[in-house]
Amino acid sequence: MRPSGLTVTHMNLLLALRNVVFYSAFACFALYLPLYAQSLGVPTAIIGLGSLATALGSFVFSTFFLSKLVDRLGDRGLYRWMWLCSTLVLLLLFLLGKTSPLLYPVITAGLGAALMTFMPLNDIAATTTLNGIKPTYGLVRVAGSISFMLTTLILGPLVDRAGYGVVPIWMLTATGVAQLIASAVTFTKVTRDPHQTVQKVPGARRSDLLMLLPVLATIILISASHAPYSNFGSVLLEKLGMSGSELSRVFAVAVVAESVTFLLADRLKFSFFSVAVVAGMLALVRWWLWYNHPGYLVLILSQTFHAVTFAAMQLAFIQYSQTLSNQTRQLLISVYGGVGMQLFPGFTAFLMGFFIDRYNTGVFLLSMVLAGLSLTLALLQVRKTRSAQVVH
């Protein structure tokens, strides 16, 4: 036992439990909250506006406040405050949603700032060495993936039987469990390793962002290509006649593939842009299949591509971030969380809200364009790297 009372196993357990709760709430939020809003009579365009509001809330908080508050309040302190804010916003959704459905974008903006920022917060915590203790990212992250899968498998049949009213109740329950975890798991607040603390230099943030731009652009584009899938996938499949149980199985297969990839995290040593090339090519095939909506079994098969189009890209990104200094890494993960996982995909979903009813699965043509741009950038960076090696 270390003097702080914190061990690698203890740290992994804490972060895994955090991810279990967050990804359960996230699965409900991403897959079933749009259907809940639709059941209240919220127009599709307003649901898309809600996705944009979520993205803006998360973008502002993640990019400008997250890393500063982590240093000031500590990981655990910020974790507790954010879950408390999530509870209050969800109560607003539960109490006012039926009488004021147009409040949906306002409510989801609050969820973006309070709930969705847990994604970069947990990734920052899972890649930060505390008193010489380095968490095992793959094991921590796969706990969230399994939680996402189990939530979809449970919620699908539950929605079929009890209706969409279970959605806000599930999310409120998750916020309560999160507070119990924060109280039950002993986690001593420890300072970051002194050698990782670097004096801030004026203009360093802008310089770091310019250096990281190719990496950010590549992963942001392929993340944005998932926007129709993440925000409207459940709505589109329901229109094709799939039941809640079939919906849950389609999304669960993707999470199984994702979980297997995360379990192999420590063995994957490929460069970021090499993984991005493979991910871009498979994404083109995956979204083409969704565009053609070939049927239940083919969609199930295409979901295995999630292992590379999302999970392997995420792992390569995290491994790349760990080669950077502590402050630069926190900046990279925060900006990616705010822009790559929220703002850009949210804006894409907002635009799609105006076309989803008319074009249905035709919106996946935009996914193909975004994946193609990501693939092009990755190929250019791989070529640039090889040219530099030849010169040297």
Side-chain angles (χ1 to χ4, degrees):
M1 185 71 70
R2 297 177 185 272
S4 65
L6 192 67
T7 65
V8 176
T9 301
H10 197 176
M11 187 67 171
N12 284 342
L13 174 62
L14 170 71
L15 295 174
L17 287 173
R18 285 184 178 184
N19 274 336
V20 165
V21 176
F22 166 71
Y23 280 96
S24 178
F26 175 56
C28 186
F29 174 77
L31 302 182
Y32 291 97
L33 195 63
L35 293 174
Y36 173 73
Q38 195 174 61
S39 72
L40 297 179
V42 179
T44 306
I46 299 299
I47 294 176
L49 180 61
S51 297
L52 178 61
T54 300
L56 288 172
S58 177
F59 163 71
V60 171
F61 192 86
S62 295
T63 306
F64 301 105
F65 300 103
L66 181 60
S67 60
K68 295 177 182 178
L69 288 174
V70 168
D71 287 332
R72 180 171 297 182
L73 299 177
D75 297 315
R76 184 185 182 187
L78 183 57
Y79 175 84
R80 297 188 66 142
W81 275 106
M82 287 169 63
W83 275 117
L84 178 60
C85 291
S86 297
T87 304
L88 296 176
V89 174
L90 285 166
L91 282 172
L92 181 65
L93 174 69
F94 185 71
L95 296 174
L96 301 180
K98 291 185 178 181
T99 56
S100 305
L102 292 182
L103 279 174
Y104 182 75
V106 177
I107 295 169
T108 53
L111 284 174
L115 178 66
M116 297 311 297
T117 312
F118 278 105
M119 194 177 294
L121 174 63
N122 286 342
D123 282 348
I124 286 174
T127 55
T128 300
T129 300
L130 299 173
N131 278 11
I133 301 170
K134 183 179 180 181
T136 309
Y137 180 81
L139 293 176
V140 167
R141 185 61 176 76
V142 78
S145 298
I146 294 173
S147 176
F148 188 103
M149 177 184 65
L150 292 177
T151 299
T152 60
L153 290 174
I154 294 170
L155 270 177
L158 194 59
V159 164
D160 285 342
R161 293 182 181 181
Y164 293 115
V166 302
V167 172
I169 295 175
W170 184 282
M171 296 182 70
L172 279 169
T173 302
T175 62
V177 172
Q179 293 296 335
L180 290 176
I181 289 174
S183 301
V185 180
T186 303
F187 175 50
T188 306
K189 180 182 176 183
V190 290
T191 57
R192 286 166 175 73
D193 290 341
H195 71 272
Q196 291 188 342
T197 304
V198 182
Q199 188 68 30
K200 294 182 179 179
V201 179
R205 183 183 177 90
R206 183 182 303 174
S207 177
D208 286 343
L209 282 176
L210 289 174
M211 178 189 71
L212 300 171
L213 192 57
V215 172
L216 282 169
T218 302
I219 196 166
I220 283 172
L221 284 167
I222 204 162
S223 296
S225 78
H226 287 71
Y229 167 79
S230 300
N231 292 279
F232 296 107
S234 55
V235 174
L236 289 169
L237 293 185
E238 187 181 58
K239 288 183 178 181
L240 293 177
M242 290 191 186
S243 67
S245 298
E246 288 177 324
L247 278 173
S248 65
R249 293 189 196 108
V250 168
F251 288 100
V253 169
V255 183
V256 169
E258 174 186 307
S259 300
V260 171
T261 304
F262 281 129
L263 284 174
L264 300 175
D266 295 331
R267 301 179 185 180
L268 295 176
K269 302 297 180 183
F270 300 107
S271 69
F272 172 79
F273 289 110
S274 296
V275 174
V277 168
V278 178
M281 290 189 293
L282 288 181
L284 286 172
V285 177
R286 183 184 185 188
W287 305 136
W288 181 81
L289 289 174
W290 277 72
Y291 163 67
N292 282 280
H293 50 85
Y296 177 60
L297 292 179
V298 175
L299 286 178
I300 286 283
L301 177 64
S302 75
Q303 291 293 74
T304 60
F305 291 167
H306 199 70
V308 177
T309 60
F310 175 77
M313 277 289 286
Q314 180 78 3
L315 287 171
F317 173 76
I318 290 295
Q319 288 175 352
Y320 173 83
S321 74
Q322 290 176 318
T323 66
L324 306 172
S325 67
N326 194 49
Q327 287 185 344
T328 304
R329 177 182 51 77
Q330 288 190 13
L331 174 65
L332 178 66
I333 293 175
S334 296
V335 173
Y336 169 58
V339 180
M341 295 298 288
Q342 296 299 321
L343 183 63
F344 200 30
F347 185 72
T348 304
F350 168 63
L351 294 178
M352 289 175 182
F354 295 98
F355 303 105
I356 202 82
D357 289 331
R358 181 175 180 181
Y359 296 105
N360 294 317
T361 55
V363 297
F364 286 103
L365 289 174
L366 178 58
S367 292
M368 293 178 66
V369 171
L370 293 170
L373 289 173
S374 179
L375 173 61
T376 302
L377 281 175
L379 286 170
L380 289 174
Q381 289 299 315
V382 169
R383 181 179 179 182
K384 181 179 178 181
T385 302
R386 289 178 179 176
S387 298
Q389 291 175 344
V390 171
V391 170
H392 290 295

